[in-house]
Amino acid sequence: MKEQILDRFLRYVKVDTQSEFGVDKIPSTDKQFILANQIVEELKAIGLSEVEIDEHCYIMATLPANTDKKIPTVGFVAHIDTSPDFTATGCAPIVWENYEGGDLVLNEEENIVLRTEEFPEMVQFKGQTMITTNGMTLLGADDKAGVTEIVSAMEYLINHPEIKHGKIRICFTPDEEVGRGADLFDVEKFGAEWAYTMDGSLPGEIEYENFNAAYAAIDIQGKIVHPGSAKDKMINSMYIAADIIQTLKTEEVPEKTEGYEGFYHLLSVKGDVDKTELRYIIRDHDKEKFEAKKATVQNLVEQLNHTHNDCISLTLTDQYYNMAEKVRPVMHIVELAREAISNLGMTPITRPIRGGTDGSRLSFMGLPCPNIFAGGLNFHSRYEYVALESIVSATETIVEIAKLMESREW
């Protein structure tokens, strides 16, 4: 199984599925269909039922129950797109067998090195098979590791009919990385009582708390005139943008926060004298603090508009909310995953997600959906990596959940 999983993962990450912010369609990029269509054919080949893909690139399929015992239908979900934060074009993964526990030179020519001093989590994978980038793209383990794990677990269960299980539904979504992966997810059609996203990091993770999240688009309209005659006429939009950036550059930024601490994160700046665009994401686990952060941005724009004749527009869009509100009433689904993880010799790790998953949205759509580890680290960067053994462990966790569900009375 290990070699099959490695081959599958490497095939998936070599297909560019990068999504794009600000596109008013799903999927935001047509290239997501390239991998999606390949996965559809693969699911049919391994013997899944009800395999389908819709016009918006959502893939659903069924592993039918092989027992007459009454068992709830469980789902597993992962996303096929990769982050717009860093290029995914031309991904050329490097496989490091029997990793020795030290630094890894990803690209000697560009002097790009994955250093244990900067990423100390690496050393725990000593002796394992590490998969990294070549330093020029992200890897896409977020979330092609999750896709690999779900497909591989379904294939394993089909090839081992002696393992009794209930009905399992799977779905692969587009556009999760731009906050729209659950927009067109048909929960009723999916038909599961609950699900798990395979989209976490370290082996053993099972998470049910995540950020509340919003996206802020700030557009500043300046006034450009010839600098030789600009006195009392020119409005330089970049100076106003600088005021906003400086005001929001507090201790509440990603590089200075951890755990349950929220932040303002400046994603991009694009501008000139005439017009400048700022794009922010706003995050907090606590709903009141989240609302307060949004109000801070709104008040700042209002104050500056008073000074600068209403030249700033703000579009503030909620993206997702903390799934804990919906999962806590059904904590047995978290305990089930914890038991599966423990049975496989791992220590269950529960911590707040400093981000979001499709599961956070799905939980509010009526499908409680905690998050299980997928194995990758340093997501959205040239330093992204995953240990093959972590992908295998996540695959085994899915199989173990199916076994545990069959062993219980419901």
Side-chain angles (χ1 to χ4, degrees), residues 238-272:
M238 291 184 289
Y239 290 152
I240 301 172
D243 288 341
I244 295 172
I245 293 169
Q246 192 59 38
T247 301
L248 295 178
K249 188 183 177 184
T250 65
E251 293 299 306
E252 294 183 297
V253 291
E255 58 268 35
K256 295 183 179 180
T257 54
E258 61 184 353
Y260 286 96
E261 297 170 333
F263 56 71
Y264 307 91
H265 178 41
L266 178 61
L267 288 176
S268 66
V269 181
K270 179 182 179 182
D272 50 31

Side-chain angles (χ1 to χ4, degrees), residues 126-370:
K126 182 178 180 180
Q128 299 186 24
T129 298
M130 290 274 276
I131 308 166
T132 69
T133 77
N134 68 350
M136 305 308 292
T137 70
L138 51 70
L139 180 61
D142 179 17
D143 188 25
K144 290 168 185 172
V147 177
T148 299
E149 291 149 9
I150 294 171
V151 175
S152 299
M154 297 304 102
E155 183 177 37
Y156 186 85
L157 288 169
I158 288 171
N159 291 337
H160 291 81
E162 71 278 8
I163 300 175
K164 300 304 178 184
H165 57 80
K167 181 179 178 181
I168 298 174
R169 287 283 279 164
I170 67 172
C171 182
F172 302 126
T173 67
D175 282 359
E176 190 267 359
E177 294 291 2
V178 293
R180 303 195 65 187
D183 277 14
L184 301 177
F185 191 110
D186 191 332
V187 171
E188 183 177 356
K189 179 180 179 181
F190 192 53
E193 294 193 32
W194 72 85
Y196 301 96
T197 49
M198 304 299 297
D199 196 15
S201 294
L202 291 170
E205 286 183 348
I206 169 65
E207 303 153 322
Y208 64 92
E209 298 177 277
N210 62 277
F211 277 140
N212 296 290
Y215 179 73
I218 303 173
D219 296 321
I220 306 160
Q221 184 61 60
K223 184 181 292 182
I224 186 167
V225 297
H226 191 284
S229 57
K231 183 174 173 58
D232 298 327
K233 299 174 185 175
M234 179 184 288
I235 299 174
N236 192 322
S237 70
M238 291 184 289
Y239 290 152
I240 301 172
D243 288 341
I244 295 172
I245 293 169
Q246 192 59 38
T247 301
L248 295 178
K249 188 183 177 184
T250 65
E251 293 299 306
E252 294 183 297
V253 291
E255 58 268 35
K256 295 183 179 180
T257 54
E258 61 184 353
Y260 286 96
E261 297 170 333
F263 56 71
Y264 307 91
H265 178 41
L266 178 61
L267 288 176
S268 66
V269 181
K270 179 182 179 182
D272 50 31
V273 174
D274 188 58
K275 185 175 183 179
T276 299
E277 300 174 353
L278 304 179
R279 299 295 181 260
Y280 277 89
I281 57 173
I282 301 167
R283 302 287 188 264
D284 209 295
H285 286 89
D286 184 276
K287 191 64 176 293
E288 290 186 5
K289 292 179 180 178
F290 173 61
E291 295 297 335
K293 283 182 170 61
K294 291 194 295 180
T296 295
V297 175
Q298 290 171 318
N299 292 337
L300 175 59
V301 169
E302 288 176 7
Q303 292 168 11
L304 290 171
N305 267 333
H306 182 72
T307 304
H308 297 287
N309 297 318
D310 295 323
C311 69
I312 310 168
S313 66
L314 167 66
T315 303
L316 198 55
T317 307
D318 284 359
Q319 296 173 299
Y320 51 82
Y321 303 108
N322 190 343
M323 76 172 87
E325 178 182 334
K326 300 298 181 180
V327 175
R328 285 195 179 108
V330 288
M331 279 296 288
H332 67 277
I333 68 178
V334 175
E335 295 306 324
L336 180 72
R338 283 177 174 156
E339 184 177 347
I341 289 166
S342 295
N343 288 353
L344 294 169
M346 294 176 281
T347 301
I349 304 168
T350 301
R351 60 176 63 130
I353 305 170
R354 288 184 59 78
T357 69
D358 280 334
S360 57
R361 292 275 310 281
L362 295 174
S363 293
F364 281 86
M365 293 166 63
L367 182 69
C369 197

